[in-house]
């Protein structure tokens, strides 16, 4: 949609947009903010999607910023740009803060190939990669309390595969489940909430029915690469979080044949963050999946191969070759390896928790389950930023959110800005000195026992949802005997290995390990899995980039 009060300009913008985008998109033009809002309201009622809003800044009655502000209420997912005269550039820059404008374009925009289309292309790409893209065709049929259904949704969401979710306790889901069973030749059940159905079932866009698929089956069917195209690379990056994506991006863009291998979905922990507010360059914050989704596209654009649903279970060192073994028994070789496997949430050690995981108890996966929490009382365990962000996000859906913290306050573990946000949200309560000591439920979480550690008193509460964000641990046991790990499983590198100027045991070279190099030459480490790392998105990305610089240095001397 384009809005400009000058009819000539309005027609010219619409003409140029139609010329380039008319095949795929309907171009709607309006000559005032009010008229544009009326058209948007109609589109909303008709269930249509709006991809991009392009508004002139200087309009009588309602200026472009005011229009975009109101348009956001109707179509929050539409990407937004202001069209301005050179003299208004400062106002346009201010608008970035007010209405989160994605871009501003200067008039005149001739030639559009240089001054208009690249900007609109970027806005369309961002919109397509967002949660607001057109209704997807992959369908997941499952049950609200089926742990595997929850995992499958999480897998698809984190890999940015659009899908529609149907539950078998709703008529639509039941209809689809019957059709899917008929298609795969299973007896068509009387689908009710209690029926023992093999769930989840996934229906691909071309109508294939997958019954209880594994992650790798699913990955193949939805078009994600799971096997490497070559047998040997300059650089094998293990882990697709910010550190791994950073490494793959810089490796590929600097000419290294690079493959990134990810166990589950690219994005890592950052991909689970509802809003990262402290990453450089995003004054209004950015959702983790948007940030890492773009990073993945960028890495792929430079030629990095990205494999998903591909777990690494071993590293073998033989002369100058490093062989990375996968869980399915296959392997890939490389001159160098960057370990970027991050950390995982620790399990909550209370009775009942393990059985109810995925059935009301979730580790970190607040985003996919959020809408299901509508009207429920939700509990969150943890006092760090991840727990705080989840609380802010879930409070929009849940009736109440209780943050349970073992310590006496949030101050030591959570950023000040988040503590302030939480204090301003009425349906969030912080319970300090509190631990979960038991969870119970028949098939799904129904209640928790909480202990107040300052008094020793216990209390049983009804609860349908518990999200756990407690201290994280690296999963590096597969590196046992291959390289040095510290007592907690983190991987020391460079100066941390060479205490008092000594070389690490078995170190074969006459130089000391480079800064991010592990106790095995040519194997580097970046991000949260590194001993003494900062546990921040920015530092993980930075270390990924820096590790590539050291890879070059290593390869030069190979
Ligand atoms: C909910 C949440 C909110 C957060 N918010 C912020 C924030 O606002 N600001 C901030 O700076 N930081 C934030 N953090 C911390 C930040 O996300 C991490 O510091 C960052 O993601 C670390 O990046 P990484 O690449 O080192 O590791 P990770 O993000 O942990 O990624 C590691 C990846 O490696 C994969 N992997 C592990 N083992 C294997 C294997 N054997 N084979 C293949 N793949 C494997 C994992 O599946 C994972 O995708 C947040 C974290 C969480 C969980």
């Amino acid at each position: 949609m384009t809005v400009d009060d000058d009819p000539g300009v309005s027609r010219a913008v619409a003409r140029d947009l139609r010329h380039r985008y008319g095949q795929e998109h309907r171009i709607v033009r309006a000559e005032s903010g009010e008229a544009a809002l009326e058209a948007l309201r109609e589109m909303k009622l008709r269930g249509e999607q709006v991809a991009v809003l392009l508004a002139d800044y200087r309009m009588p009655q309602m200026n472009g910023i005011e229009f975009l502000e109101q348009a956001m209420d109707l179509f929050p997912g539409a990407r937004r740009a202001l069209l301005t005269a050179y003299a208004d550039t400062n106002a346009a820059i201010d608008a970035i803060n007010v209405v989160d404008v994605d871009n501003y374009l200067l008039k005149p925009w001739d030639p559009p190939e240089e001054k208009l289309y690249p900007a609109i292309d970027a806005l369309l790409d961002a919109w397509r990669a967002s949660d607001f893209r057109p209704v997807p065709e992959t369908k997941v049929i499952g049950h609200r309390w089926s742990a595997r259904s929850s995992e499958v949704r999480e897998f698809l969401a984190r890999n940015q595969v659009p899908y529609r979710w149907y539950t078998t306790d709703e008529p639509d889901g039941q209809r689809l489940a019957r059709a899917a069973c008929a298609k795969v030749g299973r007896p068509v059940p009387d689908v009710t909430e209690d029926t023992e159905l093999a769930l989840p079932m996934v229906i691909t866009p071309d109508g294939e029915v997958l019954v209880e698929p594994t992650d790798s089956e699913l990955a193949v069917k939805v078009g994600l690469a799971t096997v490497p195209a070559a047998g040997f690379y300059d650089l094998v990056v293990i882990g697709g979080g910010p550190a791994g994506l950073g490494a793959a991006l810089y490796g590929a863009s600097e000419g290294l044949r690079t493959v990134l291998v990810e166990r589950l979905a690219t994005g890592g922990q950052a991909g689970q963050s509802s809003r990262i507010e402290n990453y450089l360059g995003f004054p209004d914050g950015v959702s983790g999946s948007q940030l890492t989704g773009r990073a993945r596209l960028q890495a792929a654009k430079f030629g990095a191969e990205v494999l998903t649903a591909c777990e690494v279970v071993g590293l073998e060192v033989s002369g100058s070759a490093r062989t990375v073994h996968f869980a399915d028994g296959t392997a890939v070789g490389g001159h160098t390896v960057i370990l970027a496997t991050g950390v995982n949430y620790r399990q909550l050690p209370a009775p009942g928790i393990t059985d109810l995981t995925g059935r009301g108890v979730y580790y970190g996966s607040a985003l996919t389950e959020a809408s299901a929490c509508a009207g429920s009382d939700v509990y969150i365990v943890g006092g760090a930023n991840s727990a705080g962000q989840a609380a802010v996000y879930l409070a929009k859906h849940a009736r109440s959110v209780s943050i349970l913290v073992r310590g006496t306050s949030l101050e030591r573990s959570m950023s000040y800005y988040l503590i302030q946000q939480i204090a301003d949200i009425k349906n969030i309560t912080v319970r300090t000195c509190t631990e979960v000591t038991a969870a119970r439920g028949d098939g799904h979480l129904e209640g928790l026992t909480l202990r107040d550690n300052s008094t020793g008193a216990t209390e049983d509460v009804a609860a349908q949802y518990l999200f756990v964000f407690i201290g994280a641990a690296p999963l590096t046991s597969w590196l046992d005997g291959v390289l040095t790990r510290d007592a907690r499983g983190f991987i020391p590198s460079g100066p941390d290995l060479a205490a008092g100027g000594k070389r690490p045991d078995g170190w074969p070279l006459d130089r000391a390990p480079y800064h991010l190099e592990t106790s095995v030459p040519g194997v580097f480490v970046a991000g949260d899995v590194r001993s003494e790392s900062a546990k921040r998105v920015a530092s993980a990305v930075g270390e990924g980039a820096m590790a590539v610089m050291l890879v070059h240095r290593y390869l030069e001397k190979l």
Side-chain angles (χ1 to χ4, degrees), residues 385-465:
N385 282 4
S386 49
Q389 285 174 8
V392 171
Y393 189 74
L394 290 167
K396 293 182 198 144
H397 302 265
R399 179 167 53 190
S400 73
V401 175
S402 305
I403 305 179
L404 311 176
V405 208
R406 267 203 309 200
T408 51
S409 77
L410 289 176
E411 264 73 19
R412 279 185 49 204
S413 49
M414 199 177 282
S415 293
Y416 179 70
Y417 77 87
L418 261 180
I419 297 177
Q420 295 298 103
Q421 276 182 25
I422 286 170
D424 288 341
I425 300 176
K426 291 202 169 47
N427 61 338
I428 303 184
T429 315
V430 180
R431 295 179 64 157
T432 53
C433 300
T434 304
E435 262 184 79
V436 174
T437 53
R440 64 191 159 275
D442 182 11
H444 62 90
L445 181 68
E446 289 169 323
L448 297 169
T449 304
L450 309 181
R451 184 175 60 213
D452 181 334
N453 286 339
S454 59
T455 61
T458 60
E459 179 192 355
D460 284 343
V461 293
Q464 281 194 314
Y465 289 94

Side-chain angles (χ1 to χ4, degrees), residues 238-244 261-265 267-270 272-273 275-278 310-312 340-343 345 386 389 417 469 478 526-529 535-538 540:
I238 308 176
V261 188
E262 164 57 46
R263 172 171 69 111
L264 189 67
Q269 296 169 73
Q272 298 176 51
S273 168
R275 199 140 195 93
I276 297 171
E277 306 228 26
N278 57 358
C310 193
E311 182 170 9
V312 173
T341 52
V343 292
Y345 288 110
S386 49
Q389 285 174 8
Y417 77 87
F469 294 86
W478 56 275
D528 282 13
V529 68
K535 313 285 185 290
R536 288 281 183 274
V537 177

Side-chain angles (χ1 to χ4, degrees), residues 341-342 473-480 483 485 488-491 529:
T341 52
L475 294 179
T476 52
S477 53
W478 56 275
L479 289 164
D480 207 14
L483 48 74
R485 295 181 303 141
R488 294 187 302 147
F490 289 94
I491 302 172
V529 68

